[in-house]
Amino acid sequence: MKKKSFAIVSIFAISAVAFAASPLVEEYKRRKSVVHTQQMKDAYDFLKSFDRAPEDIVELEVFGRTGKFVAKNKSNEICFGDILTASIECYNAIGYRTFFEAGDSD
């Protein structure tokens, strides 16, 4: 009986170690631990209003509470946005302006 209990405990221990060491699990833990500030959420909502899907964003940098941010998407397009002036300007990898929109915040 002790051998069976030891074997079962050993199997669980080995599977737990394998689970913890998995690169996919580590990536999941990293993504789950990311804290999104209110400024980041505002930037995601702003991008969404211009048909820039938040799920395509791979990097986002916000500049404090100024409403300005820079975002990079999966297609390697980098956009500078200013929420207060309702403007966004995007460039692709070769420097071609792919998108520009500017308006007032009324």
Side-chain angles (χ1 to χ4, degrees):
M1 183 66 176
K2 287 185 179 181
K3 286 184 179 182
K4 282 186 178 181
S5 297
F6 181 72
I8 291 173
V9 170
S10 297
I11 289 172
F12 284 125
I14 291 171
S15 63
V17 169
F19 177 76
S22 166
L24 191 56
V25 170
E26 293 302 317
E27 179 67 15
Y28 169 77
K29 288 179 183 178
R30 183 193 67 76
R31 290 181 185 193
K32 185 177 178 185
S33 68
V34 172
V35 176
H36 293 279
T37 63
Q38 185 59 48
Q39 289 78 20
M40 294 174 82
K41 291 176 184 176
D42 292 343
Y44 288 131
D45 289 340
F46 183 74
L47 287 165
K48 193 174 183 181
S49 70
F50 288 101
D51 295 326
R52 301 284 190 230
E55 60 270 15
D56 290 342
I57 303 299
V58 293
E59 289 182 55
L60 176 67
E61 184 177 339
V62 294
F63 303 110
R65 296 173 189 235
T66 63
K68 296 179 180 176
F69 64 89
V70 175
K72 181 178 180 182
N73 64 21
K74 289 179 183 176
S75 62
N76 206 24
E77 181 181 58
I78 296 180
C79 300
F80 177 80
D82 187 345
I83 298 170
L84 299 178
T85 61
S87 62
I88 185 169
E89 186 172 21
C90 303
Y91 291 89
N92 67 9
I94 62 169
Y96 182 78
R97 184 162 72 176
T98 56
F99 187 78
F100 176 77
E101 184 87 25
D104 58 89
S105 58
D106 290 345

